[in-house]
């Protein structure tokens, strides 16, 4: 094969572009549609922004179409069968990505094949054209696309984001779209994907549709990029510590309900919950549409902890009030006074400058008589009856609170069991995808 010479390249380029009009669709018969063949290779997942519902990917974009005005006879130009031409000098299809989002304005913009440059995407100004007029345009681009991201199953979440290619203006009668390769070859093609990031590429399925609109029928090709998160780092740093913290909180129910150390222990666990929640807030994705399941369980367990803590505080307060009220009477009414001429007062009341309480004043009689003994015995009997009633009331409250504590423990254990089963199920679904 003879080597192409510069004069031949110059003559061929001049021959093709001298009378070329890039504003005209390159067909001899205007009723014939120009078919654009598309192909996408996902190179890397750069960022998944759940809060703003954006996916940033690096892809290799390929498009091929026939230009009937750019064909030549190779024998007339030193057997040159393929040359490169400036992209700005030839007609190009107005293909857009509907989900594409601009970094600055947030508006849908044209794909870089129409001359719009992307941040981080190299500007490749040339395309290849062969002697039959087939144009091949290939370039890497970084796509920031809108995507409905679901974070409910975090960190075992699987995301399905679409890249929809279509003509911005032309109908299917002017520009039609087709696949450059078979759908089966494109679906599981991972040879260009960098498989060392947080996200793993599962598949890139594709569909071809004809849409009806007021302007007419338009063709579109949709690529469904399915990715899943690698959860190991979150299992080690997030899930396992959260389960340990919940188990420690669950073990606090084995402390006696009347033990004040239980309040101190649960307060310490609550502080641990709070610190842990603050630390993981940056690791968990934030979304206004869905909340990660682990966050829901965490809040529920904190609610159980707070309820149990308030119950313990009320129990200790109740027992303190009951026992404090029942310890005053025996000393007040069983005081013996050797001086019969002075009115009897309680020594503690004398320190405060007060007389004896009315409960004991009504039983005061002169010492040394049988009637005094009778009233003292009656006071003792009344006290023990009151004390017994208070003890019975205390036993009833303790039994009620113990049943509530047992019910709270069972509910906590059920929630923790559901948490573990749900995580295992999500992990199994993640592994089988």
């Amino acid at each position: 094969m003879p080597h192409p010479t510069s004069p031949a390249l110059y003559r061929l380029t001049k021959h093709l572009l001298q009378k070329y009009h890039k504003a005209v669709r390159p067909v001899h018969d205007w009723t014939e549609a120009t078919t654009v063949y598309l192909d996408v290779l996902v190179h890397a997942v750069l960022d998944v922004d759940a809060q703003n519902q954006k996916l940033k990917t690096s892809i290799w974009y390929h498009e091929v179409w026939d230009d009937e005005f750019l064909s030549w006879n190779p024998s007339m130009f030193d057997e040159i069968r393929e040359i490169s031409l400036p992209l700005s000098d030839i007609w190009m299809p107005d293909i857009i990505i509907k989900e594409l989002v601009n970094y600055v304005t947030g508006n849908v913009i044209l794909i870089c094949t129409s001359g719009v440059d992307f941040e981080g995407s190299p500007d490749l100004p040339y395309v290849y054209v062969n002697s039959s007029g087939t144009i091949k345009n290939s370039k890497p681009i970084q796509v920031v696309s809108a995507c409905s991201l679901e974070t409910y199953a975090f960190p075992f979440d699987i995301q399905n984001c679409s890249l929809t290619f279509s003509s911005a203006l032309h109908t299917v009668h002017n520009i039609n779209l087709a696949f450059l390769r078979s759908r089966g070859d494109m679906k599981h093609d991972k040879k260009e994907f960098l498989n060392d990031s947080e996200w793993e590429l599962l598949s890139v399925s594709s569909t071809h549709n004809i849409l009806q609109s007021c302007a007419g029928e338009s063709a579109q090709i949709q690529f469904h990029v399915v990715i899943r998160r690698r959860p190991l780092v979150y299992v080690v740093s997030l899930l396992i510590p959260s389960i340990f913290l919940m188990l420690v909180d669950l073990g606090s129910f084995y402390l006696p309900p009347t033990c004040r150390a239980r309040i101190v222990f649960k307060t310490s666990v609550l502080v641990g919950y709070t610190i842990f929640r603050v630390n993981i807030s940056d690791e968990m994705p934030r979304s206004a549409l869905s909340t990660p399941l682990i966050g829901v369980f965490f809040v529920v367990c904190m609610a159980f902890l707070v309820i149990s803590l308030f119950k313990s505080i009320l129990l200790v307060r109740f027992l303190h009030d009951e026992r404090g009220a029942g310890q005053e009477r025996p000393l007040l009414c069983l005081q013996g006074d050797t001086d019969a001429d002075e009115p009897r007062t309680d020594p503690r009341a004398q320190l405060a400058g007060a007389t004896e309480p009315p409960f004991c004043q009504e039983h005061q009689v002169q010492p040394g008589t049988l009637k005094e003994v009778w009233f003292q015995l009656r006071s003792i009997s009344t006290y023990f009856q009151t004390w017994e009633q208070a003890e019975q009331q205390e036993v009833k409250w303790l039994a009620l609170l113990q049943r509530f504590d047992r019910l709270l423990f069972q509910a906590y254990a059920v929630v923790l069991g559901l948490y573990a089963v749900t995580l295992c199920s999500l992990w199994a679904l993640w592994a089988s995808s």
Side-chain angles (χ1 to χ4, degrees):
M1 176 179 177
H3 184 74
T5 60
S6 296
L9 286 175
Y10 174 78
R11 287 187 295 107
L12 177 57
T13 303
K14 184 177 179 180
H15 168 75
L16 294 175
L17 299 179
Q18 186 174 15
K19 297 181 179 181
Y20 188 87
H21 297 285
K22 65 178 182 179
V24 180
R25 189 165 61 91
V27 290
H28 295 289
D29 183 5
W30 67 272
T31 61
E32 182 181 354
T34 300
T35 302
V36 181
Y37 299 89
L38 302 181
D39 188 16
V40 168
L41 290 174
V42 180
H43 182 250
V45 177
L46 304 179
D47 185 35
V48 178
D49 188 354
Q51 184 174 4
N52 297 314
Q53 297 290 291
K54 293 180 182 179
L55 173 68
K56 184 178 181 181
T57 53
S58 174
I59 66 173
W60 276 95
Y61 175 76
H62 305 277
E63 61 179 359
V64 177
W65 70 94
D66 290 330
D67 192 322
E68 298 180 9
F69 300 154
L70 294 179
S71 60
W72 69 90
N73 186 355
S75 60
M76 299 177 59
F77 298 95
D78 290 346
E79 297 298 329
I80 298 177
R81 299 184 181 275
E82 190 174 53
I83 63 172
S84 61
L85 293 177
L87 190 64
S88 58
D89 291 342
I90 63 174
W91 178 90
M92 289 196 58
D94 55 341
I95 305 300
I96 63 170
I97 300 178
K98 292 184 176 181
E99 296 86 358
L100 201 62
V101 177
N102 194 318
Y103 278 94
V104 180
T105 64
N107 299 322
V108 176
I109 57 179
L110 288 175
I111 196 171
C112 61
T113 52
S114 59
V116 179
D117 187 26
F118 286 87
E119 180 177 345
S121 301
D123 185 17
L124 303 181
Y126 293 95
V127 294
Y128 269 118
V129 184
N130 62 21
S131 59
S132 61
T134 301
I135 300 177
K136 300 177 182 178
N137 182 25
S138 302
K139 75 183 312 181
I141 59 176
Q142 290 184 8
V143 180
V144 181
S145 58
C147 179
S148 180
L149 300 172
E150 293 290 338
T151 59
Y152 179 76
F154 173 84
F156 306 105
D157 49 332
I158 299 175
Q159 309 296 342
N160 189 344
C161 297
S162 300
L163 298 176
T164 305
F165 295 82
S166 66
S167 173
L169 178 64
H170 296 85
T171 65
V172 70
H173 304 291
N174 296 322
I175 294 181
N176 193 14
L177 301 181
F179 295 106
L180 186 59
R181 295 184 296 164
S182 66
R183 301 184 189 181
D185 292 339
M186 290 187 294
K187 184 174 183 179
H188 300 289
D189 188 359
K190 305 177 185 178
K191 60 183 179 182
E192 298 291 338
F193 186 75
L194 296 179
N195 203 20
D196 57 354
S197 63
E198 179 183 352
W199 294 89
E200 177 185 1
L201 179 65
L202 295 182
S203 64
V204 183
S205 58
S206 55
T207 57
H208 181 276
N209 300 311
I210 302 295
L211 299 182
Q212 297 285 344
S213 64
C214 58
E217 297 180 344
S218 59
Q220 75 171 21
I221 287 181
Q222 196 170 43
F223 294 94
H224 303 279
V225 181
V226 182
I227 57 177
R228 69 177 180 182
R229 192 191 306 266
R230 290 188 171 93
L232 183 59
V233 61
Y234 297 101
V235 171
V236 174
S237 63
L238 187 63
L239 296 185
I240 294 180
S242 67
I243 292 177
F244 285 163
L245 192 59
M246 294 174 186
L247 289 176
V248 170
D249 187 19
L250 192 65
S252 66
F253 283 90
Y254 286 96
L255 293 175
T258 58
C259 180
R260 299 188 181 185
R262 185 177 185 178
I263 298 179
V264 178
F265 184 82
K266 282 187 170 293
T267 304
S268 302
V269 176
L270 181 59
V271 173
Y273 264 109
T274 305
I275 295 176
F276 186 73
R277 186 70 179 87
V278 171
N279 291 335
I280 68 174
S281 60
D282 294 334
E283 298 184 21
M284 294 179 60
R286 300 175 182 178
S287 174
L289 300 178
S290 60
T291 302
L293 186 62
I294 180 177
V296 175
F297 276 112
F298 210 78
V299 171
V300 171
C301 291
M302 286 188 69
F304 277 114
L305 173 61
V306 171
I307 293 173
S308 177
L309 182 60
F310 272 112
K311 188 267 303 176
S312 300
I313 293 174
L314 292 176
L315 177 60
V316 172
R317 177 63 180 174
F318 168 75
L319 295 179
H320 179 270
D321 291 342
E322 288 291 327
R323 292 171 181 173
Q327 289 177 354
E328 297 178 357
R329 295 179 180 176
L331 295 178
L332 293 177
C333 300
L334 298 179
Q335 296 293 329
D337 196 345
T338 57
D339 190 356
D341 296 330
E342 296 181 0
R344 298 171 57 233
T345 57
D346 183 42
R348 292 177 296 178
Q350 291 175 355
L351 295 176
T355 59
E356 194 174 15
F359 179 83
C360 296
Q361 287 181 356
E362 66 181 5
H363 299 295
Q364 280 192 6
V365 294
Q366 293 298 325
T369 64
L370 292 176
K371 188 176 290 188
E372 179 190 10
V373 176
W374 164 254
F375 280 115
Q376 292 289 353
L377 292 176
R378 187 176 177 182
S379 299
I380 294 174
S381 176
T382 303
Y383 164 75
F384 278 108
Q385 289 178 1
T386 306
W387 180 80
E388 185 177 1
Q389 292 177 357
E391 284 290 327
Q392 292 176 355
Q393 187 71 15
E394 180 180 327
V395 170
K396 291 180 180 179
W397 278 105
L398 280 175
L400 178 62
L401 291 175
Q402 284 179 350
R403 285 196 297 268
F404 178 76
D405 197 64
R406 192 179 304 111
L407 180 63
L408 196 63
F409 171 79
Q410 293 173 354
Y412 201 157
V414 169
V415 170
L416 187 57
L418 287 176
Y419 179 60
V421 171
T422 303
L423 290 180
C424 293
S425 301
L426 291 176
W427 200 340
L429 291 175
W430 176 90
S432 62
S433 61

